[in-house]
């Protein structure tokens, strides 16, 4: 965790965070529950609108992620994760021992959406270092159309690399 001169590494903080985020896969958020459809017509209706929960689910994921990352024993004596709302990135690690503040921008993605979710518009200019990760958190209701939001996968990568790839492609 520390180098030869006793300085904590931002890169190591992000490595530990990335490894720890894997344990959120399968997590169910007990904050909202969509009732089971009682008819085929209502099931079709849910299929068209359930993705509209992405903004609220995204905020819940950001908050839960901060709490989850703060359970990392290795980081307790160094600092703590906080959620910035508003602010970029969504979650940052505050520590007096780090020269650069590492952070994680969180994007919730509902893969069955009828509209775009998990938009990442941040400029490359804001990402001039490797201290910011992008966490793409894939969620669906427990039973695809109904139930509580459940994380089915998480991808974590360098936010600057994603912005460069996006800008190069589009």
């Amino acid at each position: 965790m520390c180098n030869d001169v006793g300085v904590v590494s931002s890169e190591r903080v992000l490595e530990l965070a990335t490894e720890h985020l894997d344990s959120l896969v399968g997590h169910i958020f007990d904050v909202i529950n969509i009732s089971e459809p009682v008819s085929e017509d209502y099931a079709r209706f849910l299929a068209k609108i359930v993705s509209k929960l992405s903004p609220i689910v995204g905020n819940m994921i950001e908050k839960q992620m901060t709490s989850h990352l703060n359970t990392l024993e290795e980081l307790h004596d160094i600092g703590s994760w906080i959620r910035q709302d508003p602010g970029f990135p969504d979650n940052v690690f505050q520590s007096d021992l780090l020269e650069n503040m590492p952070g994680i921008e969180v994007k919730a993605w509902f893969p069955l959406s009828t509209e775009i979710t998990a938009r990442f518009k941040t400029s490359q200019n804001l990402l001039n270092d490797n201290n910011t990760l992008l966490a793409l958190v894939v969620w669906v209701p427990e039973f695809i159309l109904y139930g509580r939001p459940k994380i089915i996968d998480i991808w974590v990568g360098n936010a600057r690399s994603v912005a460069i790839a996006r800008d190069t492609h589009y």
Side-chain angles (χ1 to χ4, degrees), residues 16-90:
L16 287 168
T18 299
E19 292 167 9
H20 197 56
L21 288 178
D22 283 340
S23 61
L24 277 177
V25 173
H27 180 77
I28 295 171
F29 292 91
D30 198 17
V31 293
I32 190 167
N33 190 4
I34 302 166
S35 298
E36 182 175 357
V38 294
S39 69
E40 188 177 318
D41 181 56
Y42 190 65
R44 278 194 296 275
F45 169 74
L46 281 178
K48 292 178 184 175
I49 64 135
V50 72
S51 65
K52 295 188 185 313
L53 289 173
S54 268
I56 192 167
V57 170
N59 277 278
M60 297 307 300
I61 288 170
E62 290 168 15
K63 180 62 176 155
Q64 183 71 33
M65 187 179 287
T66 301
S67 299
H68 184 69
L69 290 171
N70 279 324
T71 65
L72 272 164
E73 297 279 333
E74 298 93 328
L75 300 178
H76 281 183
D77 295 335
I78 299 164
S80 63
W81 287 93
I82 63 158
R83 179 171 179 253
Q84 301 187 114
D85 187 23
F88 178 86
D90 297 311

Side-chain angles (χ1 to χ4, degrees), residues 12-167:
R12 182 64 181 143
V13 169
L14 290 174
E15 284 174 23
L16 287 168
T18 299
E19 292 167 9
H20 197 56
L21 288 178
D22 283 340
S23 61
L24 277 177
V25 173
H27 180 77
I28 295 171
F29 292 91
D30 198 17
V31 293
I32 190 167
N33 190 4
I34 302 166
S35 298
E36 182 175 357
V38 294
S39 69
E40 188 177 318
D41 181 56
Y42 190 65
R44 278 194 296 275
F45 169 74
L46 281 178
K48 292 178 184 175
I49 64 135
V50 72
S51 65
K52 295 188 185 313
L53 289 173
S54 268
I56 192 167
V57 170
N59 277 278
M60 297 307 300
I61 288 170
E62 290 168 15
K63 180 62 176 155
Q64 183 71 33
M65 187 179 287
T66 301
S67 299
H68 184 69
L69 290 171
N70 279 324
T71 65
L72 272 164
E73 297 279 333
E74 298 93 328
L75 300 178
H76 281 183
D77 295 335
I78 299 164
S80 63
W81 287 93
I82 63 158
R83 179 171 179 253
Q84 301 187 114
D85 187 23
F88 178 86
D90 297 311
N91 295 324
V92 294
F93 187 75
Q94 287 191 326
S95 173
D96 293 334
L97 303 175
L98 298 176
E99 187 175 318
N100 298 313
M101 187 182 324
I104 302 173
E105 178 69 6
V106 181
K107 296 297 174 194
W109 178 41
F110 179 72
L112 306 175
S113 180
T114 56
E115 70 267 346
I116 295 172
T117 61
R119 290 178 284 241
F120 181 59
K121 301 184 210 174
T122 304
S123 168
Q124 291 179 43
N125 298 333
L126 293 176
L127 302 166
N128 57 5
D129 57 34
N130 289 323
N131 280 341
T132 304
L133 298 178
L134 176 68
L136 181 62
V137 181
V138 186
W139 73 275
V140 294
E142 292 173 274
F143 307 105
I144 308 300
L145 291 181
Y146 67 96
R148 300 167 296 177
K150 177 181 181 177
I151 295 175
I152 59 170
D153 205 359
I154 298 176
W155 175 87
V156 181
N158 180 282
R160 180 168 171 71
S161 295
V162 172
I164 290 170
R166 175 203 61 215
D167 295 348

